[in-house]
Amino acid sequence: MDIGVIGAGVAGLASSIALHNFGHNITLYEKNSHISSFGAGVQLSSNGCKVLDYLGVLSEVRDLSVIPENIIFFDAERNKKIGSIPLGNTALERYGYNFLLIHRFDLVNVLNSKANELGIYPKFNSNVSIRNLHNDYVDIDCDSTCKRFPLVIAADGIKSVTRKKFFNNEEPKFLKQIAYRAITSSKNVPEFLRKKNINVFLGSKKHLVSYPICSGALINFVFCKDKFEWLDNEWSIKATEGEIHKDFFSFPIINELNNIFDDVYKWGLFGYKPLNKWNKKNLMIVGDACHPFLPYLAQGTNQALEDAFGLTKFLFDDKKIKNQFNFDKFTNFRKRRISRVYKASGKNAVLFHLKNHFIKIIRNYFFSFFSKFFPKFLLSKFDWLYGFDFDKKF
């Protein structure tokens, strides 16, 4: 059947490829004039990489990525390593897939190239609006023309117009967190930050994450901090390296990161109340448009990929039956999965930003003890996430 997809980001491109591979014809709309180059580093965990393999792009993504060997935790204020979680071959053996670190632009480009290979070319500069929702089809207006689809997938991002118009008109809620994002050449940072690791510096009301991308040529930084309010009208604004130094002066590592960032962006982290239903008639919403959450488990991109995979496994009970969709089956399963990711991300927000000195000592001892004597234990706590068995569950 003909399926319309709105948004050519990760969720939209992945959904288009998955649905095409399932035998459908895809029309993909994108409001921008080209594939967006905006963004920074992305952590792809084993569950996301499994979807990329299903989509047929894993080898291309791997060629542009860094495979991290460990997640290393530091007490940021004391500038001391407190523990680590093994990845590398450990993750590969445990889950069947590595973790990968990649620039978002590279990931989207690979997905777009795959879509083009399949004959799916995003219709750029598309001023799309949904005219009507009927029981058996959806009418889309685009640049003075109307097209009718039996199914439309809205993957139009965290600022989704579709969500606001058809699902929930509430404004997104500021989650009292901000994030500075910046990238620099690996030549500009201390040697230990160039290694194939994800470094997490834990501090009071704040933390820093860094890791290499672009085959190690660049280092991605994310500085996260508690903040009571966000007064700017935009979710992302241009910032300066000086703001980072001011907000993270208590981290000694910051003194080794002087005059190295050309472009710094400050993001207010926003979220929505979870949706009970992910469809209105034959309109389905996926990705950040549906379920944005705190990035403290690095699952935004991975869960968007899972949505795309789930469309082909849940939505069509019998692909021979035209225009029959099992929306409830898809929503109920994905909603349970997303709910668990929400909760785990929230727990990490608390764990990473502990303020009480004595509780931090307990946390640090916990990391240190298990890293030394049971190095795979901490990773095993996330088997439910990274080792997700799609074939068995679906």
Side-chain angles (χ1 to χ4, degrees):
M1 69 181 70
D2 292 329
I3 297 176
V5 178
I6 303 173
V10 172
L13 286 164
S15 296
S16 297
I17 295 166
L19 291 167
H20 177 278
N21 290 346
F22 204 66
H24 300 295
N25 303 313
I26 307 301
T27 303
L28 177 58
Y29 298 98
E30 170 56 45
K31 67 179 181 180
N32 293 313
S33 60
H34 54 80
I35 291 295
S36 174
S37 61
F38 193 69
V42 171
Q43 297 182 45
L44 295 168
S45 47
S46 298
N47 51 308
C49 289
K50 190 166 189 177
V51 178
L52 292 172
D53 193 15
Y54 170 78
L55 298 177
V57 297
L58 181 60
S59 60
E60 290 88 346
V61 171
R62 188 190 295 117
D63 288 344
L64 298 169
S65 302
V66 172
I67 299 174
E69 294 297 326
N70 305 279
I71 304 173
I72 300 179
F73 293 93
F74 297 84
D75 183 321
E77 275 112 2
R78 295 167 60 211
N79 205 29
K80 181 179 179 181
K81 177 181 174 180
I82 57 176
S84 63
I85 298 176
L87 296 177
N89 288 333
T90 300
L92 179 61
E93 292 168 5
R94 193 174 192 93
Y95 307 127
Y97 291 87
N98 282 117
F99 280 52
L100 299 175
L101 308 174
I102 189 171
H103 196 293
R104 181 186 178 279
F105 179 63
D106 289 335
L107 173 62
V108 174
N109 263 346
V110 169
L111 290 170
N112 185 50
S113 295
K114 182 64 175 180
N116 294 169
E117 178 186 316
L118 299 173
I120 305 168
Y121 294 92
K123 293 181 179 296
F124 294 113
N125 295 310
S126 292
N127 184 20
V128 172
S129 65
I130 297 173
R131 181 195 291 183
N132 291 309
L133 299 182
H134 301 279
N135 289 331
D136 296 323
Y137 55 86
V138 179
D139 286 335
I140 284 183
D141 283 330
C142 180
D143 302 325
S144 302
T145 63
C146 179
K147 178 130 187 207
R148 178 166 290 178
F149 295 97
L151 176 66
V152 170
I153 307 295
D156 47 347
I158 195 168
K159 295 184 178 182
S160 171
V161 174
T162 309
R163 180 187 178 114
K164 192 167 186 178
K165 183 175 181 180
F166 291 101
F167 290 87
N168 189 330
N169 195 30
E170 292 182 5
E171 291 298 319
K173 180 183 178 183
F174 178 54
L175 301 177
K176 298 184 179 180
Q177 303 280 314
I178 63 169
Y180 296 96
R181 302 181 190 271
I183 296 175
T184 190
S185 168
S186 59
K187 299 175 183 178
N188 296 332
V189 303
E191 184 178 355
F192 81 98
L193 293 182
R194 301 176 206 161
K195 294 182 179 180
K196 297 179 179 180
N197 296 312
I198 301 169
N199 302 293
V200 185
F201 296 81
L202 308 177
S204 178
K205 303 181 182 180
K206 64 192 76 172
H207 77 280
L208 159 63
V209 178
S210 78
Y211 50 85
I213 56 174
C214 300
S215 302
L218 302 176
I219 308 297
N220 184 73
F221 287 88
V222 186
F223 301 81
C224 298
K225 179 180 181 293
D226 292 354
K227 190 173 179 61
F228 182 71
E229 58 184 356
W230 180 263
L231 299 177
D232 201 276
N233 291 327
E234 298 295 326
W235 291 12
S236 173
I237 58 175
K238 198 83 165 68
T240 66
E241 186 176 299
E243 290 179 69
I244 295 176
H245 280 262
K246 181 180 178 181
D247 282 344
F248 289 81
F249 72 92
S250 60
F251 289 16
I253 185 63
I254 204 70
N255 297 319
E256 301 184 61
L257 307 176
N258 286 308
N259 301 316
I260 63 171
F261 301 127
D262 293 328
D263 291 312
V264 178
Y265 286 89
K266 180 165 62 175
W267 297 71
L269 303 184
F270 287 79
Y272 295 101
K273 290 181 180 178
L275 293 174
N276 289 323
K277 287 180 68 66
W278 291 18
N279 74 289
K280 282 290 179 71
K281 296 186 178 180
N282 286 15
L283 172 66
M284 169 71 72
I285 188 169
V286 298
D288 279 348
C290 183
H291 48 70
F293 39 75
L294 287 172
Y296 296 169
L297 201 56
Q299 281 298 301
T301 297
N302 295 289
Q303 292 307 307
L305 291 169
E306 285 194 20
D307 284 350
F309 188 86
L311 287 172
T312 63
K313 294 297 180 179
F314 280 131
L315 206 53
F316 308 96
D317 276 346
D318 185 345
K319 63 181 180 179
K320 295 179 182 178
I321 302 176
K322 187 177 181 181
N323 296 13
Q324 183 168 317
F325 312 109
N326 201 328
F327 292 114
D328 288 342
K329 185 177 180 182
F330 174 88
T331 298
N332 290 338
F333 184 83
R334 288 298 296 141
K335 191 166 64 173
R336 290 196 298 272
R337 175 89 164 145
I338 289 296
S339 176
R340 194 168 183 184
V341 175
Y342 262 100
K343 291 176 182 177
S345 298
K347 287 179 181 178
N348 274 359
V350 175
L351 184 68
F352 288 1
H353 291 192
L354 290 175
K355 298 177 282 292
N356 184 283
H357 176 70
F358 295 105
I359 297 178
K360 283 200 284 188
I361 290 175
I362 295 171
R363 177 200 64 192
N364 293 355
Y365 175 79
F366 177 87
F367 275 129
S368 179
F369 176 83
F370 284 102
S371 296
K372 184 175 181 180
F373 297 105
F374 304 98
K376 297 180 182 179
F377 172 77
L378 294 175
L379 183 61
S380 73
K381 300 296 288 182
F382 293 95
D383 285 353
W384 64 270
L385 179 60
Y386 304 140
F388 190 61
D389 190 336
F390 293 98
D391 296 324
K392 185 180 293 185
K393 294 290 182 182
F394 290 154

